[in-house]
Amino acid sequence: MSEQPPSTSDQPRWLTTAERETWQQFAMVLHRLPAALGAQLQRDAQLSYVEYYVLAGLSDQPGHRMRMSDLAVLANSEQSRLSHMISRLERRGFVRREPDPANGRYTQAILTDAGHAHLTEAAPGHVAQVRDLVFDVLDPAELGTLRTAAEKIGEMIDRQEQRAACKGTASQP
């Protein structure tokens, strides 16, 4: 079944031809899907892909508010980069910042009514694009396999991040 013998600890485990072809297709989707979704959002709502998901993330929170540090994690963004994005969204009237009432050392981003209205207008076009590009081209069994694969990959990423965090903590004086 495998095209190569198992590796020893001093040799890399090279991808088989099938694995390499699968990886190339998957990597291309990882690159092209956000670009395709972002192009639709920019054209129809004047929002970037990440801006949309920041607004959507805020809309899912109680009071439409979230600490900036937590929002950076949600957006997979550095805090400084997120801060610049929030500034742009503030200028458009979509969000505002306030000190966290529970702990004034933190800042919360809050989705405004205008931001919520803009998100509500943008959502149907975005969902249609997601449906066109992903859900309508896969049958139910393929969707189940995609979900399972995404969950497994996400769990492995989480485990590696936890191991790396533990190593970082253990190596500190």
Side-chain angles (χ1 to χ4, degrees), residues 25 34 52 57 80 135:
Q25 288 296 316
Y52 178 87
S80 62
F135 292 98

Side-chain angles (χ1 to χ4, degrees), residues 15-30 149 153:
L15 300 179
T16 65
T17 300
E19 289 170 336
R20 187 178 64 253
E21 290 170 355
T22 300
W23 173 246
Q24 288 169 338
Q25 288 296 316
F26 183 63
M28 189 59 68
V29 167
L30 289 175
I153 293 168

Side-chain angles (χ1 to χ4, degrees), residues 1 8 17 51 63 92 105 131 169:
M1 180 179 215
T8 60
T17 300
E51 287 171 337
R92 295 176 70 186
R105 293 180 300 166
R131 186 168 291 291
T169 303

Side-chain angles (χ1 to χ4, degrees), residues 16-17 22 24 27 41 46 49 62-63 80 87 92 95 121 136 145 169:
T16 65
T17 300
T22 300
Q24 288 169 338
L41 286 165
Q46 295 73 51
Y49 180 70
S80 62
S87 292
R92 295 176 70 186
V95 296
E121 288 178 33
D136 290 349
T145 300
T169 303

Side-chain angles (χ1 to χ4, degrees), residues 53-72:
Y53 279 96
V54 163
L55 296 177
L58 288 170
S59 76
D60 289 340
Q61 298 302 309
H64 295 173
R65 59 178 56 227
M66 190 175 208
R67 281 185 178 172
M68 291 284 289
S69 54
D70 294 334
L71 193 55

Side-chain angles (χ1 to χ4, degrees), residues 9-112:
S9 61
D10 61 339
Q11 293 180 346
R13 289 181 50 213
W14 298 111
L15 300 179
T16 65
T17 300
E19 289 170 336
R20 187 178 64 253
E21 290 170 355
T22 300
W23 173 246
Q24 288 169 338
Q25 288 296 316
F26 183 63
M28 189 59 68
V29 167
L30 289 175
H31 176 72
R32 293 181 66 203
L33 184 60
L37 295 171
Q40 177 274 320
L41 286 165
Q42 191 62 52
R43 181 184 62 244
D44 296 346
Q46 295 73 51
L47 291 171
S48 73
Y49 180 70
V50 177
E51 287 171 337
Y52 178 87
Y53 279 96
V54 163
L55 296 177
L58 288 170
S59 76
D60 289 340
Q61 298 302 309
H64 295 173
R65 59 178 56 227
M66 190 175 208
R67 281 185 178 172
M68 291 284 289
S69 54
D70 294 334
L71 193 55
V73 172
L74 177 78
N76 194 29
S77 176
E78 296 172 0
Q79 283 194 333
S80 62
R81 182 178 215 128
L82 177 71
S83 183
H84 289 296
M85 180 194 320
I86 293 297
S87 292
R88 288 191 306 271
L89 292 171
E90 278 182 306
R91 286 190 295 273
R92 295 176 70 186
F94 295 160
V95 296
R96 71 178 188 278
R97 288 183 240 210
E98 292 180 1
D100 186 333
N103 185 337
R105 293 180 300 166
Y106 294 99
T107 300
Q108 289 188 335
I110 301 146
L111 183 66
T112 64

Side-chain angles (χ1 to χ4, degrees), residues 151-173:
E151 287 171 350
K152 286 181 175 183
I153 293 168
E155 289 167 2
M156 179 55 75
I157 291 168
D158 290 343
R159 283 195 299 274
Q160 285 193 356
E161 287 175 347
Q162 289 171 353
R163 282 195 298 259
C166 287
K167 285 181 183 178
T169 303
S171 67
Q172 296 189 5

